[in-house]
Amino acid sequence: MNAVSALAAIALPPLLLAVFVLSLWKTARGLSARRWERPGWWAFPAVVLTGLGCVAWFAGVFSGGLDTREACVSRGAGYDEAYRSEYWREPSRWFPLHNKCNAGFDLVPAWVNPTLVAIALLLVGCAAGAVTTAVIGRKKSEKPD
């Protein structure tokens, strides 16, 4: 590992956390101060939603741990080798997230996939809010008094 990679590995997590916390604070303050009427404000909730989406996705991806067989046994589900070999691509897909021990038991928590869908829809809503406020603001500025 060279010096730049080491510096990035050390500095990036606190920087991302700081951006997330700042965006959370700006989102909360902007709601009460009606800053949501400005198109640029919509970037802050989008950053918060992206951070929450990453947390949910990582919770789903790493739900099986390093040893899936051990995770299945520790949770009281049987590990079906034939099922896993038949559906070997399923744990490596990006979405929907699944890491099944057998046909009836999934290691990925049930809340992960619906949360990812909801966050994606809310991100589309943020983009629509930004566009809408930009159009409304432009129409207000063009209106003759």
Side-chain angles (χ1 to χ4, degrees), residues 57 60-62 68 83-84 87-101 106 108:
W57 188 78
V61 167
F62 296 114
T68 306
Y83 180 86
R84 295 282 298 183
Y87 299 100
W88 61 273
R89 289 185 185 166
E90 213 169 62
S92 62
R93 289 193 321 202
W94 286 73
F95 185 81
L97 297 175
H98 291 292
N99 194 1
K100 293 186 176 185
C101 298
D106 196 353
V108 176

Side-chain angles (χ1 to χ4, degrees), residues 6-91:
L7 183 62
I10 293 169
L12 197 58
L15 180 64
L16 290 174
L17 183 63
V19 168
F20 178 80
V21 170
L22 175 69
S23 295
L24 188 63
W25 181 70
K26 289 280 213 175
T27 299
R29 282 195 44 151
L31 286 173
S32 62
R34 295 183 60 96
R35 289 194 181 107
W36 50 268
E37 294 176 341
R38 299 178 192 159
W41 175 83
W42 289 92
F44 298 118
V47 168
V48 171
L49 287 169
T50 303
L52 293 174
C54 287
V55 168
W57 188 78
F58 279 115
V61 167
F62 296 114
S63 62
L66 296 176
D67 187 3
T68 306
R69 181 186 309 267
E70 185 178 312
C72 292
V73 170
S74 71
R75 294 188 183 154
Y79 185 82
D80 187 357
E81 188 69 44
Y83 180 86
R84 295 282 298 183
S85 64
E86 178 76 25
Y87 299 100
W88 61 273
R89 289 185 185 166
E90 213 169 62

